[in-house]
């Protein structure tokens, strides 16, 4: 039997300081690792042979990374020679991960298949959208700190910055067979941002906002067109674009302007997009190319029971509403049937978020009309969360004047209703829809 024991330090993944210092360099503990191999080996390698092999692999990896760095520097010099103003564009070739290691951005992407956990690209976009958004933490001043998470770290944390969401969505869309790229640029007020782009076989360019799940068709504006000519009006929030990349390609935008609205996404036109060598990218980003690249794990099915969790949150909200009304000197009467009738609306809202198709509203409205007697008024307030904390959700709802009006409703024959519907996604991510409603007899 071959048994090896190891001690491995592990680190916190937070980022600190204005000088690029990461807390990942500070050990927070020791992890004991024990490996047993079955069946037992008849012959084992000596420690000297193992150490020699590991040293050789590290040397090969270091040489590949050195050669890619030399190539990247040369590519950047050539890019600046096209137009000196390119120096101000957001062309991101390397990004630092949660361990403080600089990696080529292409290494953060890999075609990822969701198995049977996600059925469509749009459902994948919804899954990425409900993962938590959190900017890389910074200790001290200096503005936004650059830190990208590897896919494994992002999924373990269940939250991340816009780059982490875009990398995951791009990987999933590639897994569905689409030609997908991560775009690096800016949105309003020059804020750096990352989003995803897909290029259809018919030339259609679609932007996917990984933080919201929204999709936008890109139709470039012709800057040379007459001012009176009708031009497409962009609906997307993006302002400039510096580069696009995936697991095989990296292209820098070398068009005269980096404005997204006039940008032409003919990626095969080297007068508009300067490509990096695909062989150079493959040498450091392909699976198995280097030993330093972390593995891309499969997605895990949700461990959340949607029905049980929905009921628990709903009961907690009923209690919170009753206590809140009691403090105001109001009695609370719940109507279970009215609460149940809210379910189709919540299902319809989630379906629309996933597919961009509205369905089922007619049946919901008809049922409400039948449930509300003549002379009575109905009011409803739907709201969406990506967490399951009932008290936190209730506090947020009270900040809405319209929702507060429903919860604190006064009048004759007031009946209250609340319905919660939890929609589960892989990695225990979830979308939580809540609707508060009331009906009362109008006395005016």
């Amino acid at each position: 039997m071959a048994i090896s024991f190891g001690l491995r330090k592990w680190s916190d993944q937070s980022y600190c300081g204005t000088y690029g210092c990461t807390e990942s360099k500070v050990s927070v503990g020791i992890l004991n690792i024990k490996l047993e191999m079955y069946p037992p080996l008849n012959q084992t390698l000596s420690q000297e042979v193992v150490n020699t092999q590991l040293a050789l692999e590290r040397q090969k990896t270091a040489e590949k990374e050195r050669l890619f760095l030399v190539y990247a520097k040369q590519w950047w010099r050539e890019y600046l020679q096209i137009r000196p103003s390119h120096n101000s564009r957001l062309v991101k070739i390397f990004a630092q991960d949660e361990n403080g290691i600089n990696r080529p951005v292409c290494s953060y992407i890999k075609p990822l298949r969701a198995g049977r956990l996600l059925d469509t690209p749009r459902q994948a976009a919804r899954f990425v959208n409900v993962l938590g958004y959190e900017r890389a933490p910074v200790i001290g001043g200096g503005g936004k700190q650059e830190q990208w998470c590897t896919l494994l770290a992002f999924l373990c944390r269940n939250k991340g910055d816009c780059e982490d969401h875009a990398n995951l969505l791009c990987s999933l869309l590639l897994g569905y067979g689409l030609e997908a790229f991560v775009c690096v640029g800016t949105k309003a007020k020059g804020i750096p941002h990352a989003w995803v782009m897909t290029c259809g076989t018919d030339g259609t360019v679609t932007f996917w906002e990984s933080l919201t799940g929204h999709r936008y068709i890109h139709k470039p504006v012709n800057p040379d067109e007459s001012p009176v000519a009708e031009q497409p009006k962009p609906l997307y929030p993006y302002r400039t674009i510096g580069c696009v990349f995936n697991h095989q390609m990296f292209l820098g935008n070398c068009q005269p302007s980096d404005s997204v609205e006039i940008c032409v996404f003919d990626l095969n036109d080297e007068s508009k997009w300067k490509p990096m060598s695909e062989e150079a990218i493959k040498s450091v980003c392909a699976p198995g190319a280097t030993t330093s690249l972390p593995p891309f794990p499969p997605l895990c099915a949700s461990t959340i029971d949607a029905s049980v969790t929905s009921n628990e949150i709903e009961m907690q909200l009923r209690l919170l509403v009753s206590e809140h009304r009691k403090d105001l000197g109001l009695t609370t009467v719940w109507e279970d049937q009215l609460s149940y009738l809210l379910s189709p609306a919540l299902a319809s809202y989630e379906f629309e978020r996933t597919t961009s198709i509205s369905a089922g509203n007619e049946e919901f409205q008809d049922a409400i009309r039948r449930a509300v007697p003549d002379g009575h008024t109905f009011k409803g307030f739907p709201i969406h969360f990506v967490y399951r904390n009932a008290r936190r959700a209730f506090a947020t709802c009270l900040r809405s004047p319209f929702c507060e009006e429903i919860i604190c409703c006064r009048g004759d024959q007031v009946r209250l209703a609340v319905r919660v519907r939890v929609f589960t996604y892989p990695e225990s991510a979830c979308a939580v829809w809540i609707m508060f409603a009331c009906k009362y007899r109008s006395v005016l």
Side-chain angles (χ1 to χ4, degrees):
M1 181 183 297
I3 304 177
S4 66
F5 296 88
L7 296 178
R8 180 181 178 86
K9 294 181 179 179
W10 82 88
S11 318
D12 190 13
Q13 293 176 353
S14 58
Y15 204 93
C16 72
T18 24
Y19 300 103
C21 168
T22 59
E23 290 182 9
S24 60
K25 294 180 172 62
V26 181
S27 173
V28 296
I30 295 178
L31 179 66
N32 292 300
I33 301 175
K34 179 180 179 180
L35 173 66
E36 299 186 36
M37 302 183 66
Y38 296 96
L41 298 177
N42 295 325
Q43 182 178 1
T44 60
L45 298 175
S46 67
Q47 190 64 45
E48 182 182 357
V49 172
V50 173
N51 290 339
T52 301
Q53 180 62 30
L54 291 176
L56 181 61
E57 291 179 8
R58 283 193 292 267
Q59 183 180 352
K60 288 182 178 179
T61 295
E63 180 63 12
K64 288 180 180 180
E65 292 173 347
R66 186 190 69 81
L67 291 175
F68 181 78
L69 178 60
V70 170
Y71 169 76
K73 288 181 177 179
Q74 176 62 30
W75 182 93
W76 177 248
R77 284 193 292 269
E78 294 173 358
Y79 182 71
L80 294 182
Q81 288 172 5
I82 298 174
R83 200 173 285 108
S85 61
H86 286 178
N87 189 49
S88 62
R89 296 188 179 183
L90 285 179
V91 180
K92 189 77 174 172
I93 303 174
F94 294 91
Q96 196 170 63
D97 68 9
E98 68 277 359
N99 292 315
I101 300 174
N102 280 311
R103 301 185 185 280
V105 292
C106 295
S107 69
Y108 289 86
I109 308 294
K110 180 186 177 184
L112 181 62
R113 293 182 2 182
R116 300 187 184 277
L117 300 179
L118 299 168
D119 295 323
T120 67
R122 296 193 187 190
Q123 193 177 23
R126 178 58 172 158
F127 157 59
V128 175
N129 158 222
V130 299
L131 290 171
Y133 170 67
E134 179 184 76
R135 297 179 63 179
V138 179
I139 300 176
K144 183 180 187 295
Q145 187 69 62
E146 280 286 338
Q147 177 191 320
W148 292 20
C149 284
T150 57
L151 182 56
L152 176 60
F154 178 40
L155 293 177
C156 288
R157 296 178 67 228
N158 231 237
K159 57 185 177 181
D161 212 331
C162 61
E163 295 88 357
D164 306 322
H165 286 78
N167 290 339
L168 176 57
L169 178 56
C170 181
S171 296
L172 287 166
L173 296 182
L174 287 167
Y176 282 108
L178 302 180
E179 186 179 20
F181 299 85
V182 172
C183 303
V184 178
T186 63
K187 53 183 182 179
K189 299 181 180 179
I191 298 174
H193 192 61
W195 66 97
V196 177
M197 172 185 74
T198 54
C199 302
T201 55
D202 60 353
T204 301
V205 173
T206 305
F207 294 148
W208 302 64
E209 177 48 60
S210 57
L211 296 180
T212 64
H214 293 162
R215 298 166 67 253
Y216 309 94
I217 302 299
H218 171 68
K219 295 181 179 179
V221 173
N222 186 353
D224 300 324
E225 192 66 74
S226 168
V228 297
E230 187 174 349
Q231 296 264 33
K233 295 182 179 179
L235 300 176
Y236 44 77
Y238 317 120
R239 295 294 178 265
T240 67
I241 182 167
C243 63
V244 301
F245 65 89
N246 60 20
H247 63 304
Q248 295 177 327
M249 301 172 65
F250 183 98
L251 302 106
N253 181 8
C254 53
Q255 298 172 64
S257 171
D258 61 353
S259 174
V260 177
E261 65 179 17
I262 65 175
C263 188
V264 176
F265 287 91
D266 181 2
L267 302 182
N268 294 318
D269 186 345
E270 294 192 10
S271 68
K272 294 180 171 63
W273 294 93
K274 179 174 174 56
M276 272 194 170
S277 163
E278 291 188 27
E279 285 300 315
I281 294 172
K282 185 178 179 181
S283 69
V284 291
C285 298
T290 65
T291 56
S292 63
L293 292 177
F296 281 69
L299 296 179
C300 296
S302 177
T303 58
I304 300 172
D305 187 316
S307 178
V308 170
T309 306
S310 298
N311 287 333
E312 289 176 350
I313 297 175
E314 190 171 308
M315 291 301 102
Q316 293 171 25
L317 288 174
R318 283 197 177 200
L319 181 61
L320 290 168
V321 170
S322 298
E323 290 177 346
H324 185 74
R325 288 177 61 84
K326 183 178 179 180
D327 292 341
L328 298 174
L330 301 173
T331 59
T332 304
V333 180
W334 295 100
E335 185 171 315
D336 291 340
Q337 177 62 14
L338 183 60
S339 295
Y340 180 72
L341 295 183
L342 304 178
S343 296
L346 302 184
S348 176
Y349 298 148
E350 182 62 19
F351 182 77
E352 185 174 358
R353 287 291 182 98
T354 305
T355 65
S356 301
I357 299 172
S358 178
N361 286 328
E362 299 83 359
E363 294 87 347
F364 167 68
Q365 293 172 6
D366 185 66
I368 294 299
R369 291 190 189 99
R370 292 176 179 275
V372 179
D374 291 340
H376 285 64
T377 299
F378 170 85
K379 293 181 179 180
F381 177 81
I383 191 168
H384 165 258
F385 300 98
V386 295
Y387 53 81
R388 306 188 300 278
N389 187 318
R391 188 172 294 277
R392 179 182 171 191
F394 182 66
T396 302
C397 291
L398 284 178
R399 287 198 286 269
S400 165
F402 191 73
C403 184
E404 185 187 26
E405 182 182 338
I406 293 173
I407 292 174
C408 304
C409 180
R410 301 168 183 264
D412 186 25
Q413 300 179 26
V414 174
R415 298 293 182 268
L416 295 176
V418 62
R419 193 64 170 175
V420 176
R421 181 72 165 84
V422 175
F423 297 87
T424 59
Y425 290 90
E427 301 294 332
S428 295
C430 64
V432 179
W433 283 96
I434 301 172
M435 180 180 271
F436 290 100
C438 68
K439 67 176 183 179
Y440 58 92
R441 184 169 174 268
S442 303
V443 293
L444 296 178

